Amino acid sequence: MVDLRQFTYTKFVIVTDEDIDVRDWGAVLWAISTRVDPARDSVLIENTPIDYLDFASPTSGLGSKLGLDATRKWAGESDREWGRPITLDPRVERRVDAIWERIGRARSDEGDYGGDAALS
């Protein structure tokens, strides 16, 4: 038997894949913005028990819940080919990191960004 008493405090449920760090709100928002079609991937449940102290509902003790499916879609859920996240080329990433390190060092040494010399 499932005990859902604590569910009365839950208004929103967002389901993600394992590649999303659910403790990183930026990652969750990225999953919502890139993996959710509102018509296909949301469910709204009305007139469910909620906390009596939740004054957002029109009726005391009854409210609604929203579920979002922010997962990659399986065959049959979409006719489109599912994309892959873009990743940086490791060589480019190392080069950019080195430039930022030089810029930061030049700024701290000279009190400004070090001019164009810091970028060369």
Side-chain angles (χ1 to χ4, degrees):
M1 178 165 211
V2 176
D3 184 6
L4 296 176
R5 284 181 282 181
Q6 291 297 317
F7 196 61
T8 61
Y9 302 114
T10 304
K11 286 187 180 184
F12 306 97
V13 174
I14 303 168
V15 180
T16 67
D17 288 309
E18 69 283 346
D19 64 325
I20 301 299
D21 179 357
V22 296
R23 291 173 182 84
D24 178 353
W25 204 211
V28 173
L29 289 175
W30 178 86
I32 291 170
S33 63
T34 61
R35 297 178 178 178
V36 172
D37 174 71
R40 177 192 61 210
D41 299 319
S42 63
V43 61
L44 183 64
I45 303 171
E46 297 181 278
N47 298 316
T48 63
I50 62 166
D51 182 41
Y52 280 92
L53 296 176
D54 185 343
F55 295 103
S57 68
T59 304
S60 181
L62 287 178
S64 58
K65 312 222 183 269
L66 175 65
L68 295 176
D69 175 1
T71 61
R72 292 182 299 271
K73 303 306 170 231
W74 296 359
E77 290 185 280
S78 176
D79 294 333
R80 298 178 66 173
E81 181 179 336
W82 202 248
R84 293 172 300 165
I86 298 172
T87 58
L88 292 174
D89 179 300
R91 293 173 298 154
V92 172
E93 192 171 13
R94 283 191 300 273
R95 183 167 183 240
V96 169
D97 287 345
I99 290 170
W100 276 114
E101 187 176 318
R102 286 199 317 254
I103 290 171
R105 193 172 30 227
R107 183 168 68 176
S108 64
D109 291 346
E110 300 175 22
D112 64 7
Y113 286 104
D116 292 338
L119 298 176
S120 58

